[in-house]
Amino acid sequence: MNSIIEWFARNRVASNLLAAFILLAGLLAIPKIKQEVFPEFDSNWVMIEVPYPGAAPEEVEKAICTRVEQAVQGLGGVKQMVSTAGEGMGVVAIELLPHTDGKKFLDEAKSKVGAIDTFPDEAEKHKISEIIIRKQVINVAVSGEVGERALKRAGQRVRDELLARRGITQVELVNVRPYEVSIELREEDLRRFNLSFDEVAAAVREGSLNLPGGTLKTTGGDILLRAEMQAYGQIDFESLPLRTEPDGSRLTLGQVARVVDGFAEVDAHARFDGKPSALVRVFRVGDQSALEISRLVKEYVATA
């Protein structure tokens, strides 16, 4: 090593040429360097979620988490399991060993959990998914002293306009509550119309859905028949029939219940500069450049 350094010290032209070559190679390599906001890594986690409405955490642990753990503990490739029992929800997160085939494990886990027949009757359908690490680049806050519905629509417009820009492929709207139509019944009204809660619930289930009606064969070709009766808003639900009276008149849901077209009752709210806000997250996908996506978003914000 000392002899090489000594040789370059005596031959300044060669050392200068080598330095120039290294500098040029570095400049040429800069455009090809992958730029990241945060280093990439694989998650190697699978999440199993089982809703159990109305159950306390102790109940969820015994009836949900323990049974899921017993079902999947014999699968190969499991490094560790982390269970979380909360009010009305049981979650089992499974970390896989390196080089484990995640898709194959996912299929095996779905088969094992789907075969569990000892879940409580009140437990809802489980959900099994692979945790995907998304590469977030930049956030856009949409804020103002406006109503929640107007703020959500403005956030949706920003999200859609960003997605329409060439070079941006994944955008998510967060910190807003999901829409929800609630039906509020009073015992006095049910008694007045001689109805039960189950009758109203059944009428809503049967009256708010789309049904295929088969195929009508004609000389010009086949025509697919479909009855579209899905209710989406307050007016649609209020007009759902509950019962047909002997005189031909109909008793509708709006006559018996109070229908509220609003938002789900969840603890989700955000403020930006002291004002209510919605947040639009922009992600990088594949080999997209984080700097290029950031530039596109900033250009949109400057012209919006």
Side-chain angles (χ1 to χ4, degrees):
M1 176 64 72
N2 291 335
S3 60
I4 295 175
I5 296 174
E6 184 180 350
W7 186 86
F8 275 109
R10 289 198 305 268
N11 297 273
R12 296 183 179 180
V13 176
S15 60
N16 290 336
L17 287 174
L18 179 61
F21 174 78
I22 294 173
L23 179 62
L24 180 61
L27 292 174
L28 293 175
I30 286 176
K32 299 180 181 179
I33 296 176
K34 195 172 184 180
Q35 297 162 333
E36 295 285 353
V37 177
F38 196 81
E40 282 193 33
F41 59 91
D42 296 328
S43 67
N44 287 333
W45 284 85
V46 170
M47 184 88 70
I48 303 174
E49 301 171 277
V50 184
Y52 187 8
E58 293 83 0
E59 269 186 284
V60 173
E61 181 183 6
K62 295 177 182 178
I64 302 296
C65 296
T66 301
R67 292 170 185 174
V68 171
E69 290 173 359
Q70 292 172 348
V72 301
Q73 67 182 359
L75 296 178
V78 176
K79 181 178 180 181
Q80 66 169 329
M81 285 190 285
V82 180
S83 298
T84 304
E87 185 176 347
M89 175 67 75
V91 179
V92 177
I94 305 171
E95 184 181 6
L96 306 181
L97 291 169
H99 311 299
T100 300
D101 188 336
K103 292 184 178 179
K104 182 180 178 181
F105 182 89
L106 200 63
D107 293 337
E108 292 176 348
K110 288 179 180 179
S111 176
K112 289 288 187 180
V113 177
I116 299 175
D117 56 5
T118 55
F119 281 147
D121 294 337
E122 296 80 9
E124 298 180 358
K125 184 175 178 61
H126 61 270
K127 176 184 176 184
I128 305 178
S129 58
E130 185 178 3
I131 299 177
I132 299 174
I133 304 298
R134 294 189 294 178
K135 309 167 188 72
Q136 185 178 347
V137 175
I138 193 171
N139 292 332
V140 178
V142 182
S143 64
E145 296 293 349
V146 295
E148 188 174 4
R149 192 176 297 272
L151 185 63
K152 182 169 183 176
R153 287 175 179 168
Q156 291 172 331
R157 178 177 59 83
V158 172
R159 177 198 62 192
D160 296 341
E161 290 178 354
L162 283 172
L163 278 173
R165 294 222 156 190
R166 188 179 184 87
I168 298 177
T169 55
Q170 192 172 88
V171 183
E172 177 187 34
L173 178 64
V174 296
N175 290 349
V176 291
R177 295 193 294 171
Y179 291 120
E180 180 182 83
V181 177
S182 61
I183 300 172
E184 301 175 0
L185 293 167
R186 295 193 309 171
E187 187 176 353
E188 295 83 355
D189 294 329
L190 292 176
R191 288 178 178 175
R192 181 157 56 95
F193 291 101
N194 194 25
L195 288 169
S196 68
F197 179 83
D198 291 339
E199 287 179 300
V200 176
V204 172
R205 281 195 301 267
E206 296 169 3
S208 176
L209 75 168
N210 296 329
L211 291 174
T215 304
L216 179 64
K217 295 185 178 296
T218 67
T219 56
D222 295 345
I223 300 175
L224 296 177
L225 302 178
R226 180 180 175 83
E228 295 188 355
M229 300 181 294
Q230 178 71 48
Y232 292 101
Q234 178 181 357
I235 297 175
D236 297 334
F237 278 98
E238 287 179 340
S239 60
L240 288 177
L242 298 179
R243 185 174 64 201
T244 302
E245 303 294 351
D247 60 359
S249 62
R250 294 194 309 172
L251 178 66
T252 62
L253 183 63
Q255 296 174 268
V256 177
R258 178 172 176 261
V259 181
V260 180
D261 194 348
F263 294 89
E265 292 293 333
V266 295
D267 295 330
H269 60 88
R271 303 185 76 84
F272 181 77
D273 283 344
K275 300 177 182 177
S277 70
L279 196 65
V280 180
R281 292 177 177 170
V282 185
F283 299 87
R284 181 184 72 77
V285 178
D287 295 328
Q288 291 178 335
S289 168
L291 293 179
E292 177 63 15
I293 290 179
S294 178
R295 183 186 66 80
L296 291 172
V297 172
K298 288 177 181 178
E299 284 183 358
Y300 166 80
V301 172
T303 58

PDB file of all heavy atoms in Angstrom, residues 279-292:
ATOM      1  N   LEU A 279     -56.120  15.558   5.346  1.00  0.00           N
ATOM      2  CA  LEU A 279     -54.738  15.346   4.928  1.00  0.00           C
ATOM      3  C   LEU A 279     -54.707  14.427   3.716  1.00  0.00           C
ATOM      4  O   LEU A 279     -55.337  13.375   3.706  1.00  0.00           O
ATOM      5  CB  LEU A 279     -53.928  14.732   6.067  1.00  0.00           C
ATOM      6  CG  LEU A 279     -52.404  14.796   5.942  1.00  0.00           C
ATOM      7  CD1 LEU A 279     -51.931  16.238   5.983  1.00  0.00           C
ATOM      8  CD2 LEU A 279     -51.760  14.001   7.074  1.00  0.00           C
ATOM      9  N   VAL A 280     -53.972  14.857   2.691  1.00  0.00           N
ATOM     10  CA  VAL A 280     -53.790  14.057   1.483  1.00  0.00           C
ATOM     11  C   VAL A 280     -52.343  13.583   1.462  1.00  0.00           C
ATOM     12  O   VAL A 280     -51.412  14.395   1.410  1.00  0.00           O
ATOM     13  CB  VAL A 280     -54.100  14.876   0.211  1.00  0.00           C
ATOM     14  CG1 VAL A 280     -53.891  14.015  -1.032  1.00  0.00           C
ATOM     15  CG2 VAL A 280     -55.530  15.398   0.251  1.00  0.00           C
ATOM     16  N   ARG A 281     -52.151  12.264   1.523  1.00  0.00           N
ATOM     17  CA  ARG A 281     -50.811  11.685   1.513  1.00  0.00           C
ATOM     18  C   ARG A 281     -50.457  11.202   0.115  1.00  0.00           C
ATOM     19  O   ARG A 281     -51.272  10.562  -0.546  1.00  0.00           O
ATOM     20  CB  ARG A 281     -50.735  10.500   2.480  1.00  0.00           C
ATOM     21  CG  ARG A 281     -50.854  10.884   3.944  1.00  0.00           C
ATOM     22  CD  ARG A 281     -50.848   9.651   4.822  1.00  0.00           C
ATOM     23  NE  ARG A 281     -50.889   9.988   6.242  1.00  0.00           N
ATOM     24  CZ  ARG A 281     -51.080   9.107   7.206  1.00  0.00           C
ATOM     25  NH1 ARG A 281     -51.248   7.825   6.901  1.00  0.00           N
ATOM     26  NH2 ARG A 281     -51.101   9.484   8.468  1.00  0.00           N
ATOM     27  N   VAL A 282     -49.245  11.504  -0.318  1.00  0.00           N
ATOM     28  CA  VAL A 282     -48.775  11.106  -1.645  1.00  0.00           C
ATOM     29  C   VAL A 282     -47.614  10.121  -1.456  1.00  0.00           C
ATOM     30  O   VAL A 282     -46.693  10.378  -0.673  1.00  0.00           O
ATOM     31  CB  VAL A 282     -48.319  12.328  -2.469  1.00  0.00           C
ATOM     32  CG1 VAL A 282     -47.954  11.901  -3.888  1.00  0.00           C
ATOM     33  CG2 VAL A 282     -49.418  13.391  -2.498  1.00  0.00           C
ATOM     34  N   PHE A 283     -47.673   8.994  -2.197  1.00  0.00           N
ATOM     35  CA  PHE A 283     -46.689   7.926  -2.040  1.00  0.00           C
ATOM     36  C   PHE A 283     -45.904   7.713  -3.334  1.00  0.00           C
ATOM     37  O   PHE A 283     -46.371   8.053  -4.424  1.00  0.00           O
ATOM     38  CB  PHE A 283     -47.382   6.610  -1.658  1.00  0.00           C
ATOM     39  CG  PHE A 283     -48.138   6.673  -0.368  1.00  0.00           C
ATOM     40  CD1 PHE A 283     -49.457   7.100  -0.346  1.00  0.00           C
ATOM     41  CD2 PHE A 283     -47.539   6.306   0.820  1.00  0.00           C
ATOM     42  CE1 PHE A 283     -50.166   7.155   0.844  1.00  0.00           C
ATOM     43  CE2 PHE A 283     -48.244   6.357   2.021  1.00  0.00           C
ATOM     44  CZ  PHE A 283     -49.558   6.790   2.026  1.00  0.00           C
ATOM     45  N   ARG A 284     -44.723   7.141  -3.163  1.00  0.00           N
ATOM     46  CA  ARG A 284     -43.905   6.745  -4.297  1.00  0.00           C
ATOM     47  C   ARG A 284     -44.127   5.259  -4.556  1.00  0.00           C
ATOM     48  O   ARG A 284     -44.237   4.466  -3.639  1.00  0.00           O
ATOM     49  CB  ARG A 284     -42.419   6.993  -4.003  1.00  0.00           C
ATOM     50  CG  ARG A 284     -41.494   6.623  -5.140  1.00  0.00           C
ATOM     51  CD  ARG A 284     -40.045   6.795  -4.736  1.00  0.00           C
ATOM     52  NE  ARG A 284     -39.616   5.780  -3.787  1.00  0.00           N
ATOM     53  CZ  ARG A 284     -39.326   4.522  -4.113  1.00  0.00           C
ATOM     54  NH1 ARG A 284     -39.443   4.106  -5.364  1.00  0.00           N
ATOM     55  NH2 ARG A 284     -38.936   3.655  -3.190  1.00  0.00           N
ATOM     56  N   VAL A 285     -44.216   4.885  -5.826  1.00  0.00           N
ATOM     57  CA  VAL A 285     -44.455   3.497  -6.203  1.00  0.00           C
ATOM     58  C   VAL A 285     -43.334   3.032  -7.123  1.00  0.00           C
ATOM     59  O   VAL A 285     -42.960   3.736  -8.063  1.00  0.00           O
ATOM     60  CB  VAL A 285     -45.813   3.335  -6.916  1.00  0.00           C
ATOM     61  CG1 VAL A 285     -46.025   1.897  -7.350  1.00  0.00           C
ATOM     62  CG2 VAL A 285     -46.944   3.781  -6.003  1.00  0.00           C
ATOM     63  N   GLY A 286     -42.797   1.831  -6.863  1.00  0.00           N
ATOM     64  CA  GLY A 286     -41.783   1.247  -7.744  1.00  0.00           C
ATOM     65  C   GLY A 286     -40.520   2.081  -7.803  1.00  0.00           C
ATOM     66  O   GLY A 286     -39.938   2.461  -6.784  1.00  0.00           O
ATOM     67  N   ASP A 287     -40.113   2.414  -9.032  1.00  0.00           N
ATOM     68  CA  ASP A 287     -38.872   3.161  -9.238  1.00  0.00           C
ATOM     69  C   ASP A 287     -39.103   4.662  -9.389  1.00  0.00           C
ATOM     70  O   ASP A 287     -38.230   5.385  -9.860  1.00  0.00           O
ATOM     71  CB  ASP A 287     -38.152   2.637 -10.493  1.00  0.00           C
ATOM     72  CG  ASP A 287     -37.685   1.204 -10.315  1.00  0.00           C
ATOM     73  OD1 ASP A 287     -37.354   0.841  -9.165  1.00  0.00           O
ATOM     74  OD2 ASP A 287     -37.663   0.448 -11.304  1.00  0.00           O
ATOM     75  N   GLN A 288     -40.268   5.142  -8.998  1.00  0.00           N
ATOM     76  CA  GLN A 288     -40.530   6.573  -9.108  1.00  0.00           C
ATOM     77  C   GLN A 288     -39.588   7.360  -8.203  1.00  0.00           C
ATOM     78  O   GLN A 288     -39.183   6.897  -7.137  1.00  0.00           O
ATOM     79  CB  GLN A 288     -41.986   6.878  -8.723  1.00  0.00           C
ATOM     80  CG  GLN A 288     -43.011   6.361  -9.720  1.00  0.00           C
ATOM     81  CD  GLN A 288     -44.435   6.634  -9.266  1.00  0.00           C
ATOM     82  OE1 GLN A 288     -44.707   6.768  -8.080  1.00  0.00           O
ATOM     83  NE2 GLN A 288     -45.345   6.720 -10.211  1.00  0.00           N
ATOM     84  N   SER A 289     -39.257   8.568  -8.642  1.00  0.00           N
ATOM     85  CA  SER A 289     -38.345   9.426  -7.895  1.00  0.00           C
ATOM     86  C   SER A 289     -39.121  10.225  -6.854  1.00  0.00           C
ATOM     87  O   SER A 289     -40.122  10.876  -7.162  1.00  0.00           O
ATOM     88  CB  SER A 289     -37.623  10.381  -8.851  1.00  0.00           C
ATOM     89  OG  SER A 289     -36.954  11.397  -8.139  1.00  0.00           O
ATOM     90  N   ALA A 290     -38.647  10.187  -5.602  1.00  0.00           N
ATOM     91  CA  ALA A 290     -39.294  10.947  -4.539  1.00  0.00           C
ATOM     92  C   ALA A 290     -39.203  12.447  -4.807  1.00  0.00           C
ATOM     93  O   ALA A 290     -40.152  13.194  -4.560  1.00  0.00           O
ATOM     94  CB  ALA A 290     -38.652  10.602  -3.197  1.00  0.00           C
ATOM     95  N   LEU A 291     -38.069  12.902  -5.322  1.00  0.00           N
ATOM     96  CA  LEU A 291     -37.902  14.323  -5.605  1.00  0.00           C
ATOM     97  C   LEU A 291     -38.826  14.779  -6.730  1.00  0.00           C
ATOM     98  O   LEU A 291     -39.384  15.878  -6.693  1.00  0.00           O
ATOM     99  CB  LEU A 291     -36.448  14.616  -5.966  1.00  0.00           C
ATOM    100  CG  LEU A 291     -35.420  14.446  -4.838  1.00  0.00           C
ATOM    101  CD1 LEU A 291     -34.020  14.759  -5.352  1.00  0.00           C
ATOM    102  CD2 LEU A 291     -35.766  15.333  -3.658  1.00  0.00           C
ATOM    103  N   GLU A 292     -39.006  13.928  -7.736  1.00  0.00           N
ATOM    104  CA  GLU A 292     -39.882  14.295  -8.849  1.00  0.00           C
ATOM    105  C   GLU A 292     -41.338  14.380  -8.388  1.00  0.00           C
ATOM    106  O   GLU A 292     -42.064  15.296  -8.769  1.00  0.00           O
ATOM    107  CB  GLU A 292     -39.742  13.258  -9.974  1.00  0.00           C
ATOM    108  CG  GLU A 292     -40.650  13.493 -11.164  1.00  0.00           C
ATOM    109  CD  GLU A 292     -40.369  14.796 -11.901  1.00  0.00           C
ATOM    110  OE1 GLU A 292     -39.304  15.398 -11.696  1.00  0.00           O
ATOM    111  OE2 GLU A 292     -41.242  15.216 -12.688  1.00  0.00           O
TER     112      GLU A 292
END
